Amino acid sequence: MPLRTQTWLVLFALGAYYDHMDKVLQGKGLSIAISKVSFIHFLKEAGLAKKGNRALYQNLESLEKGRYITYDGQVLHLTKRGREKVKKMQGQMQPYLDIFSTVSKLPPGKYIRKGQTVFV
């Protein structure tokens, strides 16, 4: 059964969360662990998920059935398959993210000699 786009986004968010927290805690002898409840709260508070709690639980259950994540001892973990999928998604998205960061850093009008303005 193929997973839906929203489910892949939840997987990507979990992978990004673990990557970021691992970088923050690197060299301190600590690792991060997050529960389903805390992760769903994080998604909602950060504005990354606009759906209800039950739908997010179902997304996590789909990822667990697909063996992308495991849930043991009240903690979510990415499996090897899940880490590989997140890495693949990051590689596919990186060119698009690079475009956004490059365009946002450009000073207005540097590469365009004659700009045109329009009334809206």
Side-chain angles (χ1 to χ4, degrees):
M1 174 174 92
L3 297 175
R4 296 178 180 204
T5 304
Q6 290 297 323
T7 307
W8 288 123
L9 291 174
V10 169
L11 176 65
F12 188 77
L14 182 63
Y17 178 81
Y18 273 118
D19 284 348
H20 175 71
M21 294 309 291
D22 285 343
K23 287 178 186 173
V24 169
L25 298 174
Q26 187 176 16
K28 297 181 180 175
L30 301 170
S31 64
I32 192 73
I34 189 166
S35 68
K36 280 185 183 180
V37 174
S38 298
F39 181 65
I40 288 173
H41 180 74
F42 160 73
L43 289 175
K44 295 193 73 92
E45 287 294 315
L48 299 173
K50 306 211 182 336
K51 29 166 111 178
N53 291 348
R54 183 65 196 140
L56 292 170
Y57 274 109
Q58 288 173 338
N59 287 339
L60 290 171
E61 287 171 6
S62 296
L63 290 170
E64 195 172 0
K65 286 179 187 173
R67 294 188 222 141
Y68 293 101
I69 64 172
T70 58
Y71 183 66
D72 54 342
Q74 303 293 325
V75 176
L76 290 171
H77 295 285
L78 287 169
T79 63
K80 182 180 177 185
R81 181 179 183 184
R83 278 190 228 101
E84 289 171 355
K85 185 63 178 177
V86 169
K87 192 175 219 178
K88 183 178 177 184
M89 286 190 293
Q90 287 172 338
Q92 291 172 340
M93 292 175 63
Q94 197 57 49
Y96 301 104
L97 298 175
D98 289 343
I99 290 170
F100 278 116
S101 66
T102 301
V103 169
S104 68
K105 291 177 188 174
L106 294 176
K110 181 176 180 181
Y111 297 101
I112 300 172
R113 296 258 182 223
K114 295 181 183 180
Q116 181 178 2
T117 58
V118 232
F119 290 105
V120 284

